[in-house]
Amino acid sequence: MAGSQLKRLKASLREQGVIGPQQSKKQRRKIAQNGKANTNKRAAALESIREEFNPFDFKHNARGPKFQVTSNRQVFGDAAKGIAGRPGDAKAVGEERRRQTLLVEMNRRNKSGGIRDQRFGENDASMTYEEKMAQRFVREKQSHKGSMFDLEDDEPIDALTHMGKSITFPEKDDFEETDLLDPEGSDSGNESVDNQRGLKRVRGDEDIEDQDDEDAEGEPERKRTKQEIYKEIIAKSKFHKAERQAQKDADEDLREELDEELSDIQVLLFSKPKPQSGESDKGLSKADDAGREKMERDYDLRLRQLALDRRAKPSDRTLTEEEIAQRDVEKLKELDEKRQRRMRGEELSDSEDEKNKEDDQPALEEPGWFEEEEDDDFKLGPGIRTRPTATELGFDDEDDFIVEDDLLASGSDLEPIDESEDEGSSAGDEDDQDDEFTKGLLNETEARDSAFTKSIGTTKSETGEISSCPETLEQLVDISRSLPPEQIPPFVQKVRILYHPKLASENKSKLANFSRALVQYLFHESNKSSPLPFATLESITRHLHSLAKSFPIEIAEEFRSRINDLASRCLSPTLGDLVILVAVGTIFPPSDAFHPVITPAILLVARYLGQKIPKTTTDFVQGAFMGSLALHYVKLSRRFCPELMTFCLNTLASLAPTKLANKQSNFPQHEPAPGIRITGAGKTEVKKLRAVDCVTPPSSEKGDLLTRVATLNTTLQLVDTASQLYASKTSFIESFEPVILALAHLAKGSCKSQLPAVLGDRIVKLQARLQTMVTTAKLARRPLELHHHRPLAIKTAIPKFEDQFDPNRHYDADKDRAQLAKLKAEHKKERKGAMRELRKDANFMAREKLRVKKQKDAAYEKKYKRLVAEIQGEEGREANAYEREKQARKRAAKR
């Protein structure tokens, strides 16, 4: 068992020879001879013992080194002993340094002024008085700087300077030195040197030469001192100042005289001559007054016009054809980029949302739905135009309409014609009013186009006067009931012009309600037993497309309400529902990833194609119509629609003359109803489907057969268009191989003989085209790869030796990376050190604040106790005196 701390200390001192048995005089004499060496040895021994008995003063690595390394580098100092640091000494040094710096700043915080002790050696007791004086002398010599204008300096100066520039005096100055001479005069023998120099400057040339000769013969003239030069400069300055003051006084006196005479001048200026007697003079004065008043009014009016007139702006130069083409290309590119971003579902900024959306995009080849007959009631194609369309005239949409001459109602507030004037002036005024009216409705490009400013060759018909803007469906139906179908679009155009938002503030809300009513009118007229011609419905749709730019929320909400109604009866749509779906795809951008109107419409179309099991010919026609809508919706975004492919395959299998083999059909196939398959149609013609076929069943068996043949033809066109649309998809092979099998079945002799020859040839061509596309897709397909990177080297376990290995050094072949790692390590080390110092500073400040607070509290407590003791002492003396007085009175009463 180890002894106590005291016993181990004594043993260590005895081993080091610090203590021991008493020494003789001879031994002490010998030790005294080697005094300094023995003293150093004793101090080193005591230091080692102190370090040994205070283990907390050193920082050791208790776990040892992280890696056992071998190196030929020699280790010295504390590292050889395994000492990593001296926390005790470091803490004491840091504490002392903070007391000298941080504590001083704390005490001086929020204090201004004070006395700084800058005496030499005041706080250094080791300096003698002579050393303090010598240091003061050296400091004075270092701080003393000679001045160029020092009067005690006898060294001459080169020249006088002011703000870095030399001051030179001309030979003849405006200030004469004779002014400084004694006015009473003096003897020439007693004249000063300054007076002689001044007299020499004002004498003639001969006197100057004589004086120079005399000076040359006699003693040379002494050089003027700086003080004399300064006196001369000051005197000149005072002289000029006196002259300026005298001039100022003279001006002030003259101004006062003018002010005194001003009243007389005003009487002469504003006095009016007395009017002469006579009526002619009175008439002339009245005419002059009237002319003057008119001139003043005209002047004031012109002044206001000039004040309110806009400043002229520089006009843009005329662009060349190449620049115009480049601008159009950039605009189309920007619009296409925005459409691509919306198609990917990316959000647009507010400034991009406020801009107008792009117009219609070029469409892919779609199936022909429309007949070119004049007597068709309702078609979804362009039809035959009785008047040039807006596109043919160079217009983009229905906003670019032509304002006709008799568009405004007679007798209205906006009527531009004055009937009282003659015919020529009336026509001129009408043109001016038309130009003024269309100026706010057309932009600069449209206003320069001749198609907007002159009438086209169309027949005008009376559309009736509009008493108020129709804001509900009932009002719109009542007005349109008395109009022929071809006059409804001009009526809508007239409403849009008469109630344009620029004409009145309340027109905006009226047109918004009119837009809602127009959507309802489109649905209402399409569901009638005899719907409007498609040309009329198409014009209404174009008007809605134009109004949607100004009222997008109102029109979108109305279309959404129509779509919500269709959602409850999705599998049995009406003609109005189909027209609404067509209008939705025309008005709103179908390529957007998320759209409040387009997305529900696409979901309804996909729901019909996926859930509808066709039983009748009308169901197949509706399915083909829905398929064409689906292709129209996805033609720009090229999104894959599996419901479309499944419905087309079911239509081909159901309308085929013979049943498709089960082993060839790898898609969910429905069993067709009896009498649906096409038979005996070899000599029939292939017609185009009409929109009314979607809701009207055929009236005869032959008509039913023609409709089924047209449906099969339309389905083949849908498949062809879908193959072009999905050619770049990776799933093209799996999607169209079942179609090739179905087409191969239709191309067999048993099926081909039952179909028209034109349709059979189309089937064969489509089969060959799809086979080629599938083969090309197979060649372009590549198998999936797990990784695609360069080959990696095999790791080796061969050790690498360093001759001068240092465990604290990073060995990296990349110098830049090693330098970066070194900088990061230094930054991390400095950051940790700074944070550590900040924490220590905060702890020191907290300790000092607590110490100061304790001192203040202790002083307060001491003072409080002293005051309490004094008060209690005074109270005790008064109480004792009171008791003594009380006892004395009692004794006096007993007597």
Side-chain angles (χ1 to χ4, degrees), residues 149-204:
F149 305 105
D150 191 358
L151 299 179
E152 298 179 359
D153 190 5
D154 296 335
E155 296 179 2
I157 60 175
D158 296 336
L160 293 175
T161 60
H162 176 64
M163 299 181 66
K165 298 181 181 179
S166 62
I167 300 176
T168 57
F169 300 103
E171 296 181 358
K172 199 69 176 175
D173 199 356
D174 55 353
F175 173 67
E176 301 295 342
E177 290 188 356
T178 54
D179 298 335
L180 299 177
L181 298 177
D182 187 6
E184 297 179 358
S186 60
D187 266 345
S188 59
N190 298 330
E191 288 181 353
S192 63
V193 179
D194 294 340
N195 295 339
Q196 292 177 4
R197 291 174 62 87
L199 291 173
K200 184 177 69 175
R201 295 182 65 183
V202 298
R203 290 172 186 160

Side-chain angles (χ1 to χ4, degrees), residues 32-212:
Q33 291 177 358
N34 301 327
K36 192 169 184 179
N38 292 332
T39 302
N40 294 337
K41 184 178 179 181
R42 178 185 177 86
L46 291 175
E47 184 67 21
S48 62
I49 293 172
R50 189 179 296 107
E51 293 178 358
E52 180 183 355
F53 279 87
N54 191 4
F56 300 102
D57 282 348
F58 304 97
K59 183 179 180 182
H60 299 272
N61 190 0
R63 295 179 296 180
K66 187 175 182 180
F67 301 105
Q68 296 294 336
V69 296
T70 302
S71 176
N72 56 2
R73 291 187 59 186
Q74 297 183 3
V75 184
F76 304 97
D78 292 339
K81 301 178 184 179
I83 299 174
R86 301 173 181 268
D89 297 344
K91 184 176 181 180
V93 172
E95 192 77 11
E96 183 62 26
R97 185 175 64 252
R98 289 182 180 86
R99 289 188 181 279
Q100 295 176 0
T101 57
L102 188 59
L103 184 59
V104 175
E105 293 179 2
M106 287 178 58
N107 294 334
R108 295 186 60 185
R109 184 179 298 175
N110 300 328
K111 295 179 181 179
S112 60
I115 300 174
R116 295 180 62 185
D117 189 2
Q118 295 184 350
R119 294 176 293 178
F120 297 97
E122 184 65 23
N123 297 323
D124 191 358
S126 61
M127 291 182 65
T128 61
Y129 180 77
E130 290 76 8
E131 293 176 349
K132 295 178 182 180
M133 294 296 104
Q135 187 174 0
R136 182 179 293 109
F137 179 75
V138 171
R139 181 67 62 84
E140 289 179 356
K141 283 296 183 182
Q142 291 176 352
S143 61
H144 178 70
K145 295 182 181 179
S147 176
M148 183 182 294
F149 305 105
D150 191 358
L151 299 179
E152 298 179 359
D153 190 5
D154 296 335
E155 296 179 2
I157 60 175
D158 296 336
L160 293 175
T161 60
H162 176 64
M163 299 181 66
K165 298 181 181 179
S166 62
I167 300 176
T168 57
F169 300 103
E171 296 181 358
K172 199 69 176 175
D173 199 356
D174 55 353
F175 173 67
E176 301 295 342
E177 290 188 356
T178 54
D179 298 335
L180 299 177
L181 298 177
D182 187 6
E184 297 179 358
S186 60
D187 266 345
S188 59
N190 298 330
E191 288 181 353
S192 63
V193 179
D194 294 340
N195 295 339
Q196 292 177 4
R197 291 174 62 87
L199 291 173
K200 184 177 69 175
R201 295 182 65 183
V202 298
R203 290 172 186 160
D205 296 337
E206 297 178 357
D207 296 340
I208 294 175
E209 291 177 359
D210 297 342
Q211 185 68 24
D212 292 341

Side-chain angles (χ1 to χ4, degrees), residues 425-484:
S425 62
S426 176
D429 293 343
E430 182 180 355
D431 295 338
D432 296 340
Q433 292 291 340
D434 286 344
D435 294 341
E436 189 68 19
F437 181 73
T438 57
K439 187 182 297 183
L441 301 179
L442 302 178
N443 54 32
E444 296 179 0
T445 306
E446 297 166 349
R448 289 195 297 267
D449 196 344
S450 60
F452 289 91
T453 56
K454 64 181 182 179
S455 176
I456 60 176
T458 58
T459 58
K460 301 180 182 179
S461 61
E462 294 297 332
T463 57
E465 296 185 4
I466 301 175
S467 59
S468 62
C469 179
E471 301 184 27
T472 61
L473 176 62
E474 292 76 11
Q475 297 177 1
L476 193 56
V477 170
D478 292 341
I479 296 175
S480 63
R481 189 178 293 115
S482 59
L483 298 176

Side-chain angles (χ1 to χ4, degrees), residues 555-569:
I555 294 180
E557 288 178 352
E558 192 60 35
F559 273 112
R560 281 180 62 88
S561 64
R562 296 294 100 198
I563 292 174
N564 290 334
D565 295 341
L566 177 59
S568 59
R569 45 182 175 80

Side-chain angles (χ1 to χ4, degrees), residues 454-526:
K454 64 181 182 179
S455 176
I456 60 176
T458 58
T459 58
K460 301 180 182 179
S461 61
E462 294 297 332
T463 57
E465 296 185 4
I466 301 175
S467 59
S468 62
C469 179
E471 301 184 27
T472 61
L473 176 62
E474 292 76 11
Q475 297 177 1
L476 193 56
V477 170
D478 292 341
I479 296 175
S480 63
R481 189 178 293 115
S482 59
L483 298 176
E486 61 272 8
Q487 291 300 324
I488 294 178
F491 166 75
V492 176
Q493 175 181 337
K494 185 175 182 180
V495 171
R496 290 184 58 194
I497 295 179
L498 292 180
Y499 295 94
H500 196 276
K502 291 184 179 180
L503 301 179
S505 58
E506 64 272 6
N507 288 352
K508 187 173 183 180
S509 60
K510 292 181 179 180
L511 270 186
N513 297 331
F514 175 71
S515 303
R516 289 178 177 270
L518 203 58
V519 176
Q520 300 172 6
Y521 180 76
L522 183 67
F523 179 76
H524 174 267
E525 291 296 328
S526 301

